[in-house]
Each structure stands twice: as structure tokens, then as C-alpha cells.
Amino acid sequence: MANTILVGAQWGDEGKGKIIDVLTEQADVVVRYAGGNNAGHTVMVNGKKSVLHLIPSGILRKNKLCVIGNGVVCDPVGLVSEMAGLRQHGIKVTPKNFALSETAHVVLPYHRELDGAREQLKGENKIGTTKRGIGPAYGDKAARVGLRVNELIDSAKLAAKLADRIKENNAVLKSLGAKPLSFKSVFAEYDRAGQQLKPFVQNTVVLLHDQMRAGADILFEGAQGTFLDIDHGTYPFVTSSNTTAGGACTGSGVPPHRMDRVVGVMKAYTTRVGEGPLPTENPEISDLLHNMGREFGATTGRPRRCGWFDAVATRHATMVNGIDDLAITNLDGLDTVESIKVCVAYRRGKTQYDYIPNDVQVLAGCTPVYVEFEGWQAPTVKCRTFKQLPAKARAYAKAIADLSNARLFIASVGPGREQTIFV
Ligand code: IMP
Ligand code: MG
């Protein structure tokens, strides 16, 4: 398979978890490179649903090495409970199939408290974060006051640094009207988690290079989506990491020239959870999908905002990530729609945009220019080959891939592994 980066081409929740699970079959190593437990990757295997937040979805398959890279912010308590959950499902998680980077940054309770307090302070201008402390944890990393995994697993270092950090953060929390934290209880909980994680902690840069030398194929598992990228997304309505393909290099220590291919995942329509512009948002399609029981957040349970497929966004995503191949998911979500709209440009006054404008206020003032496609109005969930899809569904899938400037590679018609059509 060669080294492959998989990214979301929209605002997250494109169905990456499922496509990663399918592609993992051909990979030896799966690496998470950015984000934290704000992510929620839903994977269905043999009718059983698993939601993963930190551990790469590759863990569900035997003999795959799963790595949390240095670019991730890791909530150790969350990670330990995710590992326990997997073991309850009979999935082995051992130092042989799972490694955690010693330089990944640690998410601590004050990050979560600050995330919540800042959101509250923002009021109407809130970002709609997952409140997992992601922004404040990356903020500490950039401000060079973060705690890394190698300090977490050393009780003496953890105690010293945590005492300092809690002191400063308690002052901030108090000024924001939030409750201060107790060093004693935070230390007890995080030290315990650190000791449980210790056997898994490694220099993952060296590990990945050893693996490559031995001929391993690596799959880089993106989290969130292109337009939640801190640099390339709809700032400030973004997450705090580089979710795009470049993040795979910085977040793992594997250099750019070792990357062979970029796969983009996109839904056959558009969704977003949280605040911020969503040009093709449409209440009818939102209602339709929610009434089908679809499009509720995997991490927070919030209903996702839904809209028509936005080719301006996906074309932009192809550009920024260098997407070669596309996986289109949730094609079956449009099975009952009579006429399907696709946004091919934005207009604002006399200006037309073929890519997403950088200023969210400009973006908010844009109206989509649509083209329409006839719906296929037939169930696709049982289709197993591209030929079995209704002709109109094939035409739609091909058209949105073309409009996104990338090759159609996979069409997915349901959450199961078997509902994956290779084109
Ligand atoms: P944060 O990452 O929790 O700070 O949230 C920032 C923004 O990114 C919010 O709009 C979240 O809803 C969104 N977000 C974060 N993680 C995900 C994800 O995995 N899927 C979809 N949206 C996400
Ligand atoms: Mg998700």
C-alpha cells in the first residue's frame, strides 16, 4: 500500500474511521498524528459499534501496530479508559501493538476547565468546542509550558511541574469565575494513569523509522477535517491542530518525501458540528438526515448541522492536502432525495469564489451557486460493486469527485466493512 495519509476533506466526521478500518487491512502500522479525544471515530465490525477517540482504529485488527504520534494531545485518563473499553470487547492492547509518543503533550483537568470557562465567556461568539481541553493544551504546547508524556510517566517530574502549573492555572480559573483544582487529587489520578501507560511509551519517531526500514507500510490517520485545521480552516471556528496532510509529517516525524499517497474522505453531503460558517447548510436536509437517525456527534452526541455537498470546500481540500484519491461516504444518506444540489462556487456581491475565502465574515456573507442532480431514489445499502449502484448514484459520485479535482476511489453505502465499494 505504501505510506498513505488519510484526511477529512470537510469539517470532520466524514467517516474516516470506517475508511481507515478498511485500508488498515493493507497497512502494517497505523499512526494518529494530530488532535486529541475531541475526535470520535465510529467503526462497525460484525454489527458491533466501537467509538474510538485516541487510539487508532487499526487496533480493531490483529497484528497491526498502532501509534499515537508526537502531534497528538493525549488525555491519559481518557486513554486508559479507552484501553479498558477495548479489552472488555476482547481486543488486545499490549506494548506489542500499541505505542504512545514520549513527546506527545498531555491534556490536564485545567485545560478542560479553561476550555469550558472560555467558551462561556465568549457567549454568542463561542466556537462550540468539544470541551475536551484541546485548545488550552495546544496553547500550552505553543507557549512552552506544556507537560509531555515523558514527564507524565515520571512521578517526581510530574509532581513538580503539576504543582507549578496548577498554581498558575488556578489563578486564571478563579479570575474567570471557575472553580480551582486540587493538586492532590489531580496528581493522584494522573500519576496513576501515567504509570499505567508507562509500558507503552516510546520514542515513536525512531520506532516508525525502524518500521519503515523493515519495509512496513504506514497509514496516517487524520482526525477532524481540513476546515477545522488551525491554519487552513475557517479560523477561529477550528480546532487547535494541523489536521491537514502536512500535520502527518510534523505530528509523526516521518518526512514528506516518505509519503506516497493522500486519500481524502468526504461525505456525499456536508456536515459540521459546532459553530462557524457552513455555506451550504440546509434545514430540510438536516431534518431528513436526523429523522433517519443519522448525523449525531460521536463524541458529544450533538446533532450535526447538515447541508448540500460543497465542491468549493472539497476542491480547496484537494489543493491543501494534495489529495490523490477520494472516498465518498454516506452515499446512502441521499437515497430518498428527489433532486440533489451541489455547490460549485460561492458568490458575494459581484465576486465569485472558487476556493474558500480566508475571512470568516466574508465567507458568512457568501451564497452558494448550485447545480442540481437527479436523485436515484432507490436503496444503495446492499450494493457491493460500483456497477450495482443506480446509474444516477454513479453519475453523482463521479461528478462530485471530478468537481473536487481528485479520483474516485471508494464509495461507501453504510457503516459496515462490507458496504465499501472500490471503484
Ligand atoms: P475542539 O477541537 O474541541 O477545540 O473544538 C473546536 C471545533 O472543532 C468545534 O467546532 C468542534 O465541534 C470541532 N471538532 C473537534 N473535533 C471534532 C471531530 O472529531 N469531528 C467534528 N468536529 C470536531
Ligand atoms: Mg467524528
Side-chain angles (χ1 to χ4, degrees):
M1 179 178 85
N3 293 343
T4 301
I5 303 173
L6 186 137
V7 290
Q10 296 160 322
W11 277 271
D13 303 316
E14 295 90 351
K16 294 179 293 296
K18 173 192 156 156
I19 305 298
I20 292 159
D21 176 62
V22 170
L23 295 184
T24 299
E25 198 173 2
Q26 298 150 45
D28 305 296
V29 183
V30 189
V31 185
R32 226 348 247 286
Y33 61 82
N37 62 351
N38 49 349
H41 288 164
T42 310
V43 187
M44 296 280 283
V45 180
N46 304 329
K48 260 200 284 180
K49 183 170 144 177
S50 298
V51 182
L52 295 157
H53 299 285
L54 275 165
I55 300 181
S57 325
I59 202 78
L60 303 177
R61 293 196 185 256
K62 278 192 189 124
N63 305 321
K64 306 289 174 182
L65 173 62
C66 292
V67 177
I68 292 184
N70 56 278
V72 171
V73 289
C74 171
D75 179 333
V77 175
L79 178 55
V80 166
S81 89
E82 199 170 314
M83 288 160 77
L86 284 169
R87 288 184 183 126
Q88 265 175 12
H89 278 83
I91 294 155
K92 276 197 188 133
V93 188
T94 71
K96 275 211 163 127
N97 71 346
F98 174 56
L100 169 62
S101 164
E102 56 192 9
T103 58
H105 276 251
V106 179
V107 181
L108 287 149
Y110 47 82
H111 295 131
R112 270 194 307 277
E113 296 296 325
L114 283 173
D115 196 352
R118 284 182 189 152
E119 280 282 274
Q120 206 173 1
L121 202 69
K122 285 201 183 93
E124 268 198 358
N125 299 320
K126 70 171 199 256
I127 295 165
T129 73
T130 60
K131 301 215 174 99
R132 297 293 189 275
I134 305 301
Y138 277 113
D140 274 1
K141 174 178 175 177
R144 295 157 297 181
V145 291
L147 250 131
R148 305 204 291 188
V149 165
N150 56 356
E151 293 164 305
L152 172 79
I153 60 173
D154 179 324
S155 302
K157 281 189 184 153
L158 176 67
K161 198 144 178 191
L162 202 55
D164 269 5
R165 298 304 302 143
I166 286 191
K167 208 164 137 198
E168 181 187 316
N169 281 289
N170 275 351
V172 180
L173 284 172
K174 272 191 232 156
S175 77
L176 294 173
K179 266 210 305 233
L181 296 159
S182 130
F183 166 80
K184 227 174 132 186
S185 64
V186 174
F187 175 76
E189 193 180 11
Y190 282 72
D191 184 45
R192 193 181 325 121
Q195 293 313 307
Q196 281 171 296
L197 292 174
K198 205 169 182 168
F200 300 90
V201 176
Q202 284 198 51
N203 180 333
T204 52
V205 175
V206 173
L207 172 70
L208 291 174
H209 282 262
D210 284 346
Q211 287 286 329
M212 284 192 288
R213 257 192 303 278
D217 288 331
I218 306 178
L219 177 63
F220 295 85
E221 165 171 335
Q224 288 85 41
T226 297
F227 300 103
L228 292 174
D229 183 284
I230 182 104
D231 286 279
H232 299 290
T234 47
Y235 190 89
F237 301 100
V238 293
T239 189
S240 299
S241 61
N242 284 118
T243 59
T244 46
C249 295
T250 52
S252 69
V254 176
H257 73 288
R258 300 304 305 269
M259 302 297 182
D260 301 298
R261 178 189 184 206
V262 181
V263 176
V265 186
M266 58 189 207
K267 276 184 180 144
Y269 45 89
T270 307
T271 67
R272 157 164 221 172
V273 55
E275 305 302 316
L278 188 64
T280 62
E281 187 164 15
N282 177 286
E284 276 155 56
I285 177 158
S286 274
D287 287 348
L288 171 90
L289 292 163
H290 292 151
N291 288 336
M292 290 162 89
R294 307 166 80 110
E295 302 309 340
F296 293 91
T299 299
T300 57
R302 293 181 287 179
R304 296 178 185 139
R305 299 156 61 196
C306 309
W308 299 113
F309 186 82
D310 185 343
V312 179
T314 54
R315 194 184 298 142
H316 195 128
T318 298
M319 178 170 71
V320 170
N321 295 294
I323 295 170
D324 303 298
D325 294 314
L326 280 174
I328 298 176
T329 66
N330 292 272
L331 202 58
D332 55 307
L334 298 177
D335 281 355
T336 59
V337 183
E338 210 178 304
S339 173
I340 305 169
K341 286 187 188 171
V342 170
C343 168
V344 291
Y346 302 155
R347 204 166 279 147
R348 185 170 184 267
K350 285 197 180 116
T351 315
Q352 183 166 309
Y353 293 91
D354 296 319
Y355 296 97
I356 293 192
N358 283 322
D359 183 328
V360 276
Q361 268 166 357
V362 171
L363 179 56
C366 287
T367 27
V369 178
Y370 286 118
V371 295
E372 292 205 29
F373 289 81
E374 262 180 70
W376 45 94
Q377 296 193 277
T380 55
V381 287
K382 295 214 169 92
C383 297
R384 294 295 174 266
T385 63
F386 197 59
K387 252 181 139 176
Q388 285 173 0
L389 282 174
K392 286 174 186 164
R394 284 198 306 258
Y396 178 74
K398 276 201 172 130
I400 61 174
D402 283 347
L403 287 166
S404 308
N405 289 337
R407 259 190 319 255
L408 178 59
F409 165 50
I410 285 175
S412 165
V413 291
R417 274 178 186 165
E418 69 292 351
Q419 290 169 303
T420 312
I421 298 169
F422 288 88
V423 182

